[in-house]
Amino acid sequence: ESGSRALARDDDEDDGDSTAGVRGKKKKAKKTDRQVIAKRDYDNTDNAGGSLAGEEEEMDSGDSTEGDGIGDGAAAAVPAAIDQHSVVGLKTHQEPVSDAEVRFLENQQILASQSVPTVTTPYVMKTPQIPDSQRMKILITGGAGFVGSHLVDKLMMEGHEVIVLDNFFTGQKKNIEHWLHHPNFSLVVHDVTEPIMLEVDQIYHLACPASPPHYQYNPVKTIKTSTMGTINMLGLAKR
């Protein structure tokens, strides 16, 4: 009985030793895995540091070569982009002008040198090009009337800039229609009894109903045009 107990104890000890051996092996395996993982992390960190160091070296080399005229990639890309834009601009300027554009420019030159024939004025009047020192800016009130429109024709054919101020109370737009396209001509629809600010060299005050039917139709308007209109134009000439 004592022998059997001893054998059983020996078996338990062997089982304990075997269990302890297995546990030891598991601990050793876990320790080995931890070492492998730690070594792997260390290698990755080392490689990352090496790549960063390599990038820093490349940046340093780029900075060093910039002084020699080579420059880094970003600095070299800017002149290339500018050159491309300049080349595109040159190509755009070198493109041939279309026939429509040529005709448009020719028409503009013609319209700036003469009047346009209309039903009221079927003939053409030429406008010369005079120096700026000789060209004046002239205001004509009542320029759409009979007398004023003929004065407009005279001054335009001398090459001056003409501004017609009229409210069409008795004047008609067709009397000056042949000058509406011209760059030296301007039309201002305004009542001369109201003040106006303009920069001009000469003033011809012709705004007033001229015929008895017109000034008898609205006598108060006629008086105001002859008095207030004249005062406003005198004030403009004084300024």
Side-chain angles (χ1 to χ4, degrees):
E1 184 178 357
S2 61
S4 61
R5 290 177 179 178
L7 290 173
R9 188 167 51 250
D10 293 337
D11 292 337
D12 293 336
E13 290 178 357
D14 292 338
D15 293 338
D17 293 339
S18 62
T19 303
V22 170
R23 289 178 180 175
K25 288 181 180 179
K26 289 183 178 180
K27 291 181 179 179
K28 187 175 181 180
K30 289 182 179 179
K31 184 177 181 181
T32 304
D33 294 339
R34 290 175 182 173
Q35 291 177 353
V36 170
I37 293 172
K39 187 175 184 302
R40 187 183 305 162
D41 294 338
Y42 176 77
D43 293 339
N44 292 335
T45 304
D46 192 11
N47 292 332
S51 62
L52 291 174
E55 292 178 358
E56 291 178 356
E57 290 178 358
E58 291 179 358
M59 291 175 65
D60 294 338
S61 63
D63 295 337
S64 62
T65 55
E66 185 178 0
D68 298 335
I70 299 175
D72 54 1
V78 174
I82 293 174
D83 292 338
Q84 290 177 359
H85 287 298
S86 61
V87 170
V88 171
L90 291 175
K91 289 182 179 179
T92 304
H93 289 295
Q94 292 177 357
E95 289 180 357
V97 182
S98 63
D99 295 338
E101 293 175 345
V102 173
R103 289 194 300 270
F104 176 79
L105 294 175
E106 292 177 351
N107 293 335
Q108 290 295 319
Q109 292 177 356
I110 294 173
L111 293 176
S113 62
Q114 66 181 32
S115 64
V116 174
T118 60
V119 177
T120 306
T121 311
Y123 48 87
V124 174
M125 290 175 280
K126 298 291 184 178
T127 56
Q129 295 291 334
I130 61 177
D132 295 340
S133 59
Q134 300 178 8
R135 185 170 60 250
M136 292 185 296
K137 185 178 294 184
I138 303 173
L139 172 65
I140 303 176
T141 63
F146 176 77
V147 178
S149 61
H150 284 83
L151 180 60
V152 170
D153 295 340
K154 176 65 175 177
L155 295 176
M156 287 293 295
M157 286 189 292
E158 291 180 358
H160 298 293
E161 296 183 21
V162 178
I163 302 175
V164 170
L165 190 147
D166 206 309
N167 64 346
F168 299 111
F169 179 67
T170 58
Q172 295 180 342
K173 191 175 182 179
K174 64 181 182 179
N175 293 332
I176 54 173
E177 188 177 8
H178 52 286
W179 293 119
L180 294 178
H181 70 281
H182 203 284
N184 290 347
F185 180 83
S186 300
L187 173 62
V188 179
V189 180
H190 182 79
D191 193 344
V192 75
T193 59
E194 300 294 334
I196 188 171
M197 294 295 296
L198 294 171
E199 294 293 335
V200 295
D201 300 317
Q202 291 183 358
I203 300 174
Y204 291 88
H205 181 43
L206 304 177
C208 183
S211 63
H214 288 156
Y215 61 71
Q216 289 177 0
Y217 171 76
N218 192 345
V220 176
K221 179 72 172 177
T222 302
I223 294 173
K224 291 179 66 176
T225 302
S226 301
T227 56
M228 297 300 300
T230 303
I231 292 173
N232 291 332
M233 289 302 104
L234 287 173
L236 181 60
K238 184 178 179 180
R239 284 190 295 271

